[in-house]
Amino acid sequence: MSVLIKENIITLNTKNTTYQMAVNPNNYLAHLYYGALLDDSLAIERGNVGYHTLLPLPYDCRNREFSSAVCPLEYSAYGCGDFRTTPLKVRFSDGSSVCDLIFESANYVDSKPKLEGLPALHDNEGKSQSVEICLKDKVHDLRVYLLYTAFEEYDIIARSVRIENHTGGDLILESVLSTCLDNYEDEYDLITFDGKPYAERTFHRTPLGDVKLTCESKRGSSSHQCNPFFIFATKNCDEKVGECYGSAFVYSGNYTASMEKTPIGTTRFVMGINPENFNFLLKDGESFQAPEVIHSYSNNGFSKLTHNYHDVIRKHLFRGKYADAERPILINNWEATYFKFTAEKLLDIAKKAKAIGVDTFVLDDGWFLGRNSDNSSLGDWFVDEEKLGCPLNQLIKEINALGMKFGLWFEPECISENSNLYRAHPNWVLQAPDRKGALGRKQWVIDMSNPDAVDGIFGMMSDILDNNNIEYIKWDFNRYLTDVYSHALPADSQGEVHHRYVLGVYDLLERILKKYPNVLIEGCASGGGRFDCGMLYYSPQYWTSDNTDPMERLSIQYGTSFCYPIIAMGSHVTESPNHVTKRDTPFKTRSNVAMAGTYGFELDLTKLSSEEIEFLANETNVYKKYSQLIRTGDYYRLTSNSARYMGWQFVSNDKLNSLAVIVQRTSNIDFKPIIQKFEGLNPSVMYRVVIDGKERENLYSGNALMNIGLNIRSLKYENESTRIEILSAKAQ
Ligand code: DGJ
């Protein structure tokens, strides 16, 4: 049993972890424990020790046994002496915001219920177990349902919150965060994956001090600037040792996450929808479902935490045809042509792509009515046959005749001022009355909280998808939300627009996937500006960054890898010097880095020499050979982001095959050899080692490769890279 309700203690067990709470003598739901697996007797022991009261600073003199200011709690509301960040704040119809949540009930739930309208981990096999706990305000009939699901095999606890209003009046939800993780220790570092366009998800480690650390997005999407995935870790935590806790938000809009110490040395971590500009009217009898957070714990360092997330996302977040299937190798025309192309030019590129083993041709921005720059036409999803020189159908047929699939770019959530759609539906745009609104990238954002607008976009996209053999969509989004006002909602509901926008996007994605289940959607937001578990539920791969310089991608892909599976990261071989950085890098390094993702190309292949085409054809073959290992194997970061060279490694589940890459970041002026130790192998298996296609004479035991390592002699200069295949000698 992974969920156990016994006396006043509720326990969730996974393979290696225990999550535990207790109803304390005052009827509050206290957090007891989250950490390494406990046996049942220890669990009860912990409850008996009285952890769930924590006396030192009783806030209410009528109750000296309990302090709401410091007691670790599972969830709490504003107004009754919990001065930490409280996840819930409501305004009742009498204007009061005081809410005191006490335990009402706890019930087993088989498997995992769906969250209405929201992405979440799914459990089609019915292997997981859940518990639903009801807390209730002491005065009003406001119910808070906390849902916890244990994914035993993956050491994952998913949790979410639903609020039900039975108060007899309407109320306003001013804050409904999804998780509150209190802890009895406070010597932690908070690890964030913040960044900017061209430098998304950069690893930052900040010691928890005496002031609260907050990360958030107010941009309407999860954003380039901060990613909704966090780790707090003990000071000694590295890839292999130490304790760490991960929290991934399954949501793509505004969010907040913060971590703070209390004066007595406990901590609180919270995460959820950003309360700023969030005011949700909940009528009597209605409920509000807040998004899910995926928690995990490891006492074997970051590496184990990463494996937990990679595995659960691949098996229980991805859905549909591509959840567990080979991903196509793409050629995308964007960096090859930008807006300037004809069908003839595209076909020339496609033919070369076919010659190097590419499976899918993707036509990026610029294929629809009058779209020759980013000045116009977004929202007019009709083919510009004049520009192409033929109907889209004809181009697709010719590409299909080459034996390749065809993919198409859309930016469904945006609209140009110069578009027929805007002229016909000016009210479908997020714009406050009497204001035109910011024109980021010369475009506005469609009001996706308006179901009519969502219907309209769905109709136009369906028309294209019904009449053309399209098997892949690149779903782009090149804006942050400003001027957030919906003409479809009354004045007192404007605080709902941000959240309803996200629900509208999810609805559109769901409808497209339902109608076109064979289409693979790759998400994109000016690069990786909305790379989160919410989007991965619909699009199991995401364009990682518009920065395609492999040396810059090292740290972007490094940061992204902590939570998100390698197969979720769109990664392409592009031109050199790179369009963004002007840095020159060898083809080999561009290819090696792109292989740590969904391999593809984004350059004008017609300009390459026959030797270069031959080189890339060989690389594509290597990728095909290892694509299953890259997609399903365990991923290890071999170095930190600050190392002079960077390395990573994939190991097959049976530990018999492995692929590693090492990239030299700065010239090795001392010519000091790199002695690289590997991870995850079977110590007693003998392996062959092939470095850049050349097999070493000796066989090496897994033990030697992991403890002594290999002398990588080939790397001396910056931007060079090497590929190491480690293959069981028996499997030969
Ligand atoms: C931004 C994306 O990140 C690029 O890959 C490309 O699709 C452009 N948008 C097209 O406008």
Side-chain angles (χ1 to χ4, degrees), residues 428-445:
W428 283 8
V429 178
L430 285 179
Q431 270 175 351
D434 305 322
R435 293 173 205 271
K436 276 271 181 173
L439 267 175
R441 210 206 180 192
K442 305 178 194 146
Q443 62 201 53
W444 289 315
V445 181

Side-chain angles (χ1 to χ4, degrees), residues 110-310:
D110 271 346
S111 188
K112 184 170 190 286
K114 285 197 162 139
L115 304 188
E116 190 60 35
L118 284 168
L121 292 180
H122 53 77
D123 181 15
N124 299 336
E125 297 149 7
K127 278 195 189 155
S128 63
Q129 270 200 332
S130 305
V131 57
E132 187 174 69
I133 301 169
C134 179
L135 310 179
K136 216 169 134 187
D137 178 42
K138 276 183 180 164
V139 173
H140 297 292
D141 191 354
L142 176 84
R143 296 176 208 167
V144 174
Y145 289 91
L146 306 176
L147 179 71
Y148 299 78
T149 304
F151 285 86
E152 213 172 334
E153 209 183 317
Y154 308 96
D155 289 333
I156 290 286
I157 305 287
R159 63 178 283 193
S160 61
V161 180
R162 188 177 81 253
I163 311 291
E164 282 187 10
N165 177 7
H166 301 280
T167 62
D170 298 348
L171 56 84
I172 306 282
L173 296 172
E174 294 183 345
S175 171
V176 191
L177 304 186
S178 292
T179 196
C180 175
L181 195 56
D182 285 355
N183 211 307
Y184 293 82
E185 328 286 339
D186 71 350
E187 285 296 305
Y188 291 116
D189 291 339
L190 184 66
I191 293 158
T192 56
F193 299 90
D194 37 291
K196 53 191 170 186
Y198 297 136
E200 295 90 335
R201 291 170 299 287
T202 309
F203 178 98
H204 287 122
R205 186 168 185 155
T206 313
L208 190 60
D210 293 324
V211 292
K212 181 162 105 177
L213 295 176
T214 301
C215 298
E216 61 174 9
S217 169
K218 299 194 274 187
R219 295 167 185 260
S221 61
S222 48
S223 89
H224 302 83
Q225 285 74 6
C226 192
N227 191 263
F229 174 65
F230 298 88
I231 299 173
F232 58 91
T234 50
K235 300 279 170 199
N236 67 335
C237 189
D238 64 18
E239 288 294 339
K240 289 199 223 178
V241 302
E243 291 183 85
C244 50
Y245 297 80
S247 305
F249 199 25
V250 191
Y251 190 64
S252 313
N254 289 344
Y255 70 91
T256 185
S258 68
M259 190 154 182
E260 66 199 289
K261 281 189 191 185
T262 70
I264 66 156
T266 60
T267 53
R268 170 165 290 181
F269 173 84
V270 293
M271 171 145 81
I273 293 177
N274 197 335
E276 189 164 321
N277 205 11
F278 173 87
N279 272 286
F280 213 96
L281 172 70
L282 203 62
K283 295 202 173 129
D284 186 38
E286 284 184 348
S287 68
F288 178 86
Q289 177 64 59
E292 178 167 278
V293 173
I294 308 171
H295 288 297
S296 190
Y297 164 84
S298 151
N299 57 1
N300 288 302
F302 300 133
S303 189
K304 174 73 172 77
L305 195 77
T306 286
H307 295 166
N308 296 346
Y309 278 102
H310 284 193

Side-chain angles (χ1 to χ4, degrees), residues 352 355-356 587 604-619:
K352 289 283 181 190
I356 60 171
F587 251 129
D604 189 346
L605 295 172
T606 64
K607 292 187 181 149
L608 301 189
S609 66
S610 51
E611 292 77 37
E612 286 171 322
I613 290 288
E614 199 181 317
F615 174 80
L616 290 184
N618 185 49
E619 290 295 286

Side-chain angles (χ1 to χ4, degrees), residues 345-366:
K345 174 72 191 171
L346 300 175
L347 209 53
D348 285 347
I349 296 176
K351 282 178 189 156
K352 289 283 181 190
K354 178 66 193 170
I356 60 171
V358 168
D359 323 295
T360 300
F361 181 91
V362 179
L363 173 51
D364 210 280
D365 196 354

Side-chain angles (χ1 to χ4, degrees), residues 584-687:
D584 219 345
T585 50
F587 251 129
K588 187 173 158 192
T589 297
R590 281 178 270 159
S591 178
N592 273 334
V593 173
M595 278 194 201
T598 59
Y599 194 59
F601 299 88
E602 195 158 330
L603 72 172
D604 189 346
L605 295 172
T606 64
K607 292 187 181 149
L608 301 189
S609 66
S610 51
E611 292 77 37
E612 286 171 322
I613 290 288
E614 199 181 317
F615 174 80
L616 290 184
N618 185 49
E619 290 295 286
T620 306
N621 277 335
V622 172
Y623 184 74
K624 284 185 178 162
K625 179 170 162 200
Y626 286 107
S627 62
Q628 192 185 344
L629 171 64
I630 292 168
R631 186 166 55 83
T632 62
D634 287 333
Y635 178 80
Y636 292 90
R637 291 170 291 269
L638 297 177
T639 55
S640 79
N641 192 27
S642 51
R644 184 188 232 181
Y645 62 90
M646 263 183 100
W648 57 88
Q649 185 192 355
F650 301 93
V651 181
S652 63
N653 302 137
D654 60 9
K655 298 179 185 294
L656 295 182
N657 291 312
S658 179
L659 177 72
V661 167
I662 292 173
V663 182
Q664 184 75 38
R665 285 184 133 167
T666 52
S667 285
N668 184 359
I669 45 169
D670 307 322
F671 298 136
K672 181 182 170 210
I674 294 174
I675 312 279
Q676 185 60 56
K677 293 180 189 171
F678 298 93
E679 299 290 337
L681 302 171
N682 183 333
S684 50
V685 164
M686 296 304 290
Y687 294 92

Side-chain angles (χ1 to χ4, degrees), residues 24-26 30 49-56 65-67 70-72 184:
N24 76 10
N26 305 280
V49 170
Y51 273 85
H52 47 311
T53 48
L54 279 188
L55 302 181
E65 292 299 301
F66 171 69
S67 169
V70 292
C71 176
Y184 293 82

